[in-house]
Amino acid sequence: IPGAKLDGFRMTQALKSNGCETTQILGRITATSLSEAISSFLDEIDQVAKEHESPVLLISVSSHGVQADRDWIPNLLASDADQHDTGYDISSNILAKVNTIKAKNRSSARLILILDCCRESAGFNIFKGRAQSILSQRNDYYILAACHPGRVALDTEEGGALTLGVLMYLEYEKEITWVFEQAAKQVASIHFQRPW
């Protein structure tokens, strides 16, 4: 993806400038490397969350993606994926793990998940897709996908349309729901893409 590395760099800089601890996975990532890096990151987050009350976890993804037929959250495709690859399952590998995180004094963690990736799939029918709840909701979730299921997300040398939109509004230091709403409007007003 032309702008994925730039998306990662910009998001990392924006978060660091606001005092956040960051970890990044950049470049051409194999399926094995992706799985190991995310597992390591989530293990680290699990330990850090125990030291904080109400921690906020932000995961921003700028990657190839594919829509899983059984889920409304797309799967990630590593750089070594072939045309039959079903991808890295975000629901099972990230959301399930985040649900086990226990913050200090049993407070809830907040997960902000920005998915700037395609959601194409020949087998997914947007009109027959079923809404799915996110496992047991021990923690709070805020999820924004770049486009509707079955659609593609715009990415250029300048970066992904969704990531650029989110970055534009993150600097206002408002609630994440407001940031998501504004970014979605921005992307939909300029591109043939409707964040979801």
Side-chain angles (χ1 to χ4, degrees):
I1 295 180
K5 194 169 184 178
L6 187 56
D7 284 345
F9 176 77
R10 285 180 177 152
M11 186 63 75
T12 298
Q13 293 308 309
L15 295 173
K16 280 184 176 178
S17 70
N18 283 302
C20 299
E21 296 177 35
T22 64
T23 300
Q24 57 185 341
I25 306 167
L26 295 174
R28 296 185 61 77
I29 310 292
T30 65
T32 301
S33 298
L34 177 68
S35 180
E36 289 171 356
I38 291 176
S39 292
S40 175
F41 167 73
L42 292 171
D43 288 343
E44 182 182 328
I45 289 298
D46 191 29
Q47 293 305 311
V48 170
K50 291 174 183 170
E51 301 166 10
H52 299 279
E53 286 189 36
S54 305
V56 176
L57 317 171
L58 187 146
I59 299 175
S60 176
V61 176
S62 183
S63 167
H64 287 293
V66 64
Q67 185 63 50
D69 292 342
R70 61 171 180 72
D71 200 349
W72 63 272
I73 295 176
N75 290 347
L76 303 181
L77 290 175
S79 59
D80 61 346
D82 64 26
Q83 64 188 19
H84 303 292
D85 201 325
T86 57
Y88 180 84
D89 188 332
I90 293 173
S91 292
S92 298
N93 295 304
I94 295 178
L95 298 182
K97 177 70 175 179
V98 169
N99 255 337
T100 67
I101 290 175
K102 296 178 183 166
K104 188 175 180 180
N105 295 332
R106 298 185 167 267
S107 61
S108 295
R110 292 174 63 186
L111 173 67
I112 299 167
L113 185 57
I114 302 163
L115 299 169
D116 199 349
C117 60
C118 294
R119 300 175 74 188
E120 279 187 299
S121 173
F124 189 88
N125 183 329
I126 191 169
F127 299 107
K128 293 183 180 176
R130 61 184 175 87
Q132 179 176 356
S133 61
I134 302 172
L135 310 167
S136 114
Q137 295 184 5
R138 164 188 280 284
N139 296 306
D140 296 328
Y141 293 86
Y142 302 87
I143 302 172
L144 182 62
C147 54
H148 282 207
R151 306 288 184 189
V152 296
L154 178 69
D155 186 87
T156 68
E157 296 288 334
E158 295 299 314
L162 181 65
T163 301
L164 290 170
V166 169
L167 285 168
M168 179 185 302
Y169 292 101
L170 266 182
E171 65 186 46
Y172 289 100
E173 298 183 17
K174 299 240 184 187
E175 281 294 317
I176 196 63
T177 51
W178 181 87
V179 171
F180 278 4
E181 287 169 10
Q182 298 308 311
K185 286 179 190 173
Q186 164 79 11
V187 172
S189 73
I190 296 174
H191 308 289
F192 295 106
Q193 172 180 331
R194 296 183 63 180
W196 202 63

